[in-house]
């Protein structure tokens, strides 16, 4: 289960709206507790580093991930997942999302329709990235 | 000695450590080898069946991606920090 506090959730939705009609992306920092029970206390809105049409693609800059990891460790927390948006599409985990994921992280996908938040879902890729399991998602 | 930062999902395979120190290593490859010797469950999470780093695994020495240095032959000093950084992308298409 992934629980997102109100402040990081607001950051995520605003990033999704601001990037529309392009995909947004970012990093989720939270308590590095037992898997399946993470609380997100910080969402970091990142620049989409994909070189090309970003209406249906995103890429995180690994340097942003390193920075987030360092900041998280100072708070005795960790990077627990990532988020991105699907402009005018539902919040599913696509084959592309799965192929370029990393196992064990929570991946929040937000559907942004006509520039406004519609719905969100969360997924975790399995060990060999052949499938993604839905993860229960709670947000404030 | 160089230290390796373990990302959150992999800590369960590293004795729940967030950092692992590796002694007596001169290169990134040796450091990662020492890591998976200490914590064998990490091996299949980091390497594929051909012994290559899996596609989502980026390795950084301090702020530098080893792909732009000497890859796994990149030298490491005692003061260096090695980061295992997930590579993340995707798209609705
Ligand atoms: Zn996606």
């Amino acid at each position: 289960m992934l629980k997102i506090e109100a402040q990081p959730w607001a950051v995520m939705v605003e990033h999704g709206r601001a990037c529309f009609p392009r995909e947004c992306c970012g990093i989720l920092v939270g308590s590095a507790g037992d898997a399946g029970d993470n609380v997100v206390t910080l969402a970091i809105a990142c620049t989409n580093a994909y070189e090309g049409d970003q209406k249906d693609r995103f890429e995180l800059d690994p340097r942003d991930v390193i920075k987030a990891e360092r900041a998280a460790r100072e708070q005795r927390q960790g990077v627990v997942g990532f988020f991105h948006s699907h402009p005018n599409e539902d919040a599913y985990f696509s084959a592309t999302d799965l192929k370029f994921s990393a196992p064990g992280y929570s991946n929040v996908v937000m559907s942004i329709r006509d520039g406004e938040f519609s719905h969100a879902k969360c997924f975790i890729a399995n060990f060999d990235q052949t499938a993604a399991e839905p993860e229960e998602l709670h947000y404030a | 000695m160089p230290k390796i930062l373990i990302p959150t999902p992999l800590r369960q395979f590293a004795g729940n450590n967030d950092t692992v120190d590796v002694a007596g290593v001169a290169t990134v490859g040796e450091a990662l080898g020492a890591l998976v010797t200490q914590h064998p469950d990490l091996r299949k999470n980091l390497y594929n069946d051909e012994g290559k780093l899996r596609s989502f695994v980026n390795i950084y020495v301090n702020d530098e991606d080893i792909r732009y240095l000497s890859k796994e032959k990149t030298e490491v000093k005692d003061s260096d920090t090695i980061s295992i950084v997930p590579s993340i992308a995707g798209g609705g298409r």
Side-chain angles (χ1 to χ4, degrees):
Chain A
M1 198 259 274
L2 188 73
K3 186 175 182 299
I4 303 175
E5 291 181 350
Q7 198 274 340
W9 178 249
V11 168
M12 293 163 65
V13 170
E14 181 47 35
H15 195 40
R17 296 173 66 207
C19 293
F20 186 88
R22 293 169 293 115
E23 291 198 10
C24 78
C25 58
I27 302 166
L28 302 175
V29 170
S31 62
D34 297 337
D37 189 24
N38 283 323
V39 178
V40 173
T41 56
L42 174 69
I44 302 169
C46 296
T47 300
N48 185 342
Y50 182 73
E51 292 178 2
D53 192 342
Q54 298 181 350
K55 78 173 171 11
D56 53 12
R57 289 299 295 266
F58 82 93
E59 187 177 324
L60 278 167
D61 185 333
R63 288 168 298 188
D64 287 338
V65 181
I66 288 194
K67 262 188 271 174
E69 182 74 36
R70 287 180 186 154
R73 281 166 184 264
E74 283 175 15
Q75 310 288 327
R76 302 216 131 268
Q77 296 195 321
V79 173
V80 296
F82 305 96
F83 68 94
H84 71 278
S85 62
H86 285 178
N88 287 340
E89 295 284 351
D90 283 338
Y92 53 84
F93 207 58
S94 72
T96 310
D97 291 335
L98 183 60
K99 181 179 178 189
F100 297 109
S101 65
Y105 286 100
S106 298
N107 296 279
V108 176
V109 184
M110 299 182 294
S111 169
I112 307 288
R113 293 224 171 251
D114 301 325
E116 295 300 329
F117 173 79
S118 168
H119 60 279
K121 287 183 179 167
C122 188
F123 305 89
I124 301 182
N126 66 0
F127 167 74
D128 51 5
Q129 291 165 289
T130 52
E133 293 295 324
E135 181 181 28
E136 194 179 333
L137 174 66
H138 291 267
Y139 48 84
Chain B
M1 59 190 111
K3 61 179 179 182
I4 303 179
L5 305 187
I6 310 298
T8 311
L10 296 185
R11 290 175 194 166
Q12 59 181 306
F13 307 112
N16 290 321
N17 292 298
D18 63 5
T19 305
V20 173
D21 294 325
V22 283
V25 298
T27 65
V28 168
E30 290 176 16
L32 295 175
L35 174 67
V36 298
T37 299
Q38 278 184 51
H39 300 288
D41 290 346
L42 275 176
R43 183 181 299 274
K44 65 185 192 319
N45 286 279
L46 296 178
Y47 293 97
N48 62 22
D49 291 343
E50 288 89 55
K52 297 255 191 296
L53 285 169
R54 293 178 65 179
S55 59
F56 59 84
V57 177
N58 295 321
I59 303 293
Y60 276 67
V61 174
N62 304 321
D63 288 322
E64 300 295 330
D65 187 334
I66 63 165
R67 280 179 298 185
Y68 305 115
L69 300 171
S70 305
K71 303 198 170 71
E72 286 173 76
K73 295 191 177 72
T74 302
E75 292 182 9
V76 288
K77 303 184 299 291
D78 276 359
S79 57
D80 285 336
T81 298
I82 299 168
S83 297
I84 299 168
V85 185
S87 161
I88 301 292
R93 187 162 57 207

